[in-house]
Amino acid sequence: MSLLSVICPCYNEEESVALFYRELMKNTEYFQSQNVEMELIYIDDGSKDGTVAEVKKLISEDERVHLVSFSRNFGKEAAMYAGFEKAKGDYIVTMDVDLQDPPSLLPEMFGYIKNGYDSVATRRVSRKGEPPIRSFFARMFYRIMKKISKTEIMDGARDYRLMTRQMVDAILSMTEYNRFTKGIFGWVGFRTKWIEFENVERAKGETKWNFWKLFLYSLDGITAFSTAPLMLASMMGVFFCVLAFLMIVFIIVRKLIFGDPVSGWPSLVCIILLTSGVQFFCTGILGQYLAKTYMEVKRRPIYLVREEL
Ligand code: UDP
Ligand code: MG
């Protein structure tokens, strides 16, 4: 018998916990026929509602269910990392509790693993039911990432992924504090099969992400997997030096031909504003990377456990 570990991060999801359990366990028969047992690990990411109580109810009924409860909200990335650490399975899958990652896809995914793939990843081909402005920025993010990062990050990729033990061990070897799991999956490599599905809307409750949070998260993704913005700072520096040099030549030549050196105060102000703006912008980019480095060198734990069952 081999073991499949299902990792499920939850943050204030009391309505979804039991619903997810029922949907997931519909696969029990299939996996039994494949000689695979299941374990389900709920990672409670510091929920303030009845999520923990709901999970405990399930634990009292089914010994396949486990709980890791954080001391506070550490974010989904930390929750997934904790799940990878706690999972004992030969195969490991991460899934959202809100049923946006359909458990009915698991048999198909497992089939590919049996055929020799190391991981089966999912991406949604539509963004139906999502605010258009959000879809637009999401698409932009993936397009920029494709250009500036060597790591492959698929448009519409979800964190819903079935992996072998070997791949999860590789992910665990990346102990960085600023975790951008979509990038980490791509970075570790291995043979990955992509399968596509139509976007499913959340079953219960509401999303934990607003536009601003997603925007900051995308900046995390960029700084974690690309140093191209730093390059941008140097390139702008070079560009403005060349521009300044041409201007100097122009002014000297004009003075020699026409005389009259004192004019052009407005243009001077514009130039100062522009260049100082660019300088602040570049210092800001430096600051972003410095801040990430600062958090990284502290080597703080990625999560803290309050209770484990
Ligand atoms: N989640 C989490 N910690 C957080 C935010 C979210 O563990 O700080 C979990 C959440 O419970 C859900 C999954 O991450 O299982 C995805 O969150 P959500 O559905 O809100 O995101 P969306 O699908 O809207 O991108
Ligand atoms: Mg969701």
Side-chain angles (χ1 to χ4, degrees):
M1 272 293 211
S2 43
L3 181 68
L4 168 72
S5 303
V6 180
I7 297 166
C8 183
C10 312
Y11 178 49
N12 295 341
E13 304 274 11
E14 56 182 5
E15 293 166 297
S16 307
V17 167
L19 208 62
F20 175 79
Y21 169 82
R22 280 198 298 276
E23 279 299 313
L24 177 74
M25 291 311 172
K26 285 184 185 161
N27 290 309
T28 307
E29 239 165 64
Y30 168 79
F31 281 109
Q32 252 160 12
S33 74
Q34 299 289 318
N35 266 336
V36 176
E37 276 182 287
M38 287 207 269
E39 67 167 357
L40 168 56
I41 309 173
Y42 284 107
I43 314 288
D44 158 51
D45 187 8
S47 301
K48 294 179 190 70
D49 65 354
T51 302
V52 172
E54 285 292 319
V55 176
K56 283 183 179 167
K57 238 188 262 170
L58 292 175
I59 291 177
S60 64
E61 291 160 11
D62 189 340
E63 58 181 11
R64 292 174 295 178
V65 183
H66 306 273
L67 168 73
V68 177
S69 188
F70 286 179
S71 61
R72 64 168 171 83
N73 180 246
F74 280 89
K76 187 187 171 188
E77 299 290 337
M80 285 194 287
Y81 184 78
F84 292 147
E85 277 196 331
K86 304 290 175 189
K88 298 190 190 71
D90 309 287
Y91 311 102
I92 290 131
V93 63
T94 55
M95 296 171 87
D96 287 2
V97 72
D98 58 7
L99 293 175
Q100 281 191 296
D101 298 331
S104 55
L105 287 177
L106 275 175
E108 185 192 346
M109 291 165 80
F110 189 71
Y112 285 113
I113 292 275
K114 289 234 109 168
N115 287 337
Y117 282 101
D118 302 301
S119 107
V120 183
T122 59
R123 60 187 284 259
R124 33 178 197 180
V125 280
S126 69
R127 288 176 171 274
K128 178 171 59 106
E130 198 183 58
I133 182 94
R134 191 163 147 174
S135 305
F136 172 76
F137 276 98
R139 291 229 166 79
M140 275 248 294
F141 168 73
Y142 287 110
R143 209 172 300 154
I144 293 173
M145 270 315 248
K146 199 166 236 159
K147 290 233 162 66
I148 64 175
S149 173
K150 289 195 191 83
T151 306
E152 186 198 25
I153 298 169
M154 275 277 202
D155 185 2
R158 297 199 50 89
D159 293 329
Y160 185 16
R161 213 181 247 257
L162 177 62
M163 288 165 284
T164 58
R165 181 82 248 170
Q166 189 190 17
M167 179 157 168
V168 170
D169 284 341
I171 291 167
L172 284 174
S173 73
M174 296 174 77
T175 53
E176 60 210 69
Y177 184 79
N178 295 293
R179 302 190 73 76
F180 184 69
T181 306
K182 285 189 175 74
I184 291 176
F185 286 149
W187 195 90
V188 297
F190 293 98
R191 275 165 53 97
T192 299
K193 170 77 188 167
W194 284 91
I195 62 175
E196 299 178 345
F197 67 96
E198 291 278 322
N199 189 32
V200 185
E201 285 190 46
R202 202 171 224 290
K204 285 272 162 58
E206 53 194 56
T207 174
K208 309 294 176 295
W209 298 86
N210 56 34
F211 186 78
W212 183 240
K213 258 175 129 177
L214 275 175
F215 178 70
L216 293 180
Y217 181 60
S218 71
L219 291 188
D220 278 348
I222 290 174
T223 47
F225 280 92
S226 170
T227 48
L230 288 172
M231 190 66 179
L232 186 74
S234 331
M235 284 190 323
M236 283 218 259
V238 171
F239 173 76
F240 276 94
C241 283
V242 171
L243 196 68
F245 181 74
L246 294 179
M247 289 284 283
I248 290 168
V249 171
F250 171 74
I251 287 167
I252 291 174
V253 170
R254 194 176 60 172
K255 155 84 180 120
L256 290 178
I257 298 172
F258 300 105
D260 183 29
V262 201
S263 76
W265 186 84
S267 57
L268 194 65
V269 171
C270 291
I271 291 165
I272 291 174
L273 279 179
L274 177 69
T275 49
S276 60
V278 169
Q279 280 179 25
F280 276 129
F281 178 67
C282 294
T283 319
I285 293 177
L286 274 177
Q288 284 297 321
Y289 282 91
L290 184 65
K292 297 286 172 204
T293 315
Y294 177 62
M295 291 311 288
E296 230 33 92
V297 293
K298 284 183 190 233
R299 302 221 121 262
R300 285 183 179 165
I302 295 169
Y303 64 91
L304 291 172
V305 173
R306 196 182 73 82
E307 190 181 12
E308 210 175 327
L309 288 171

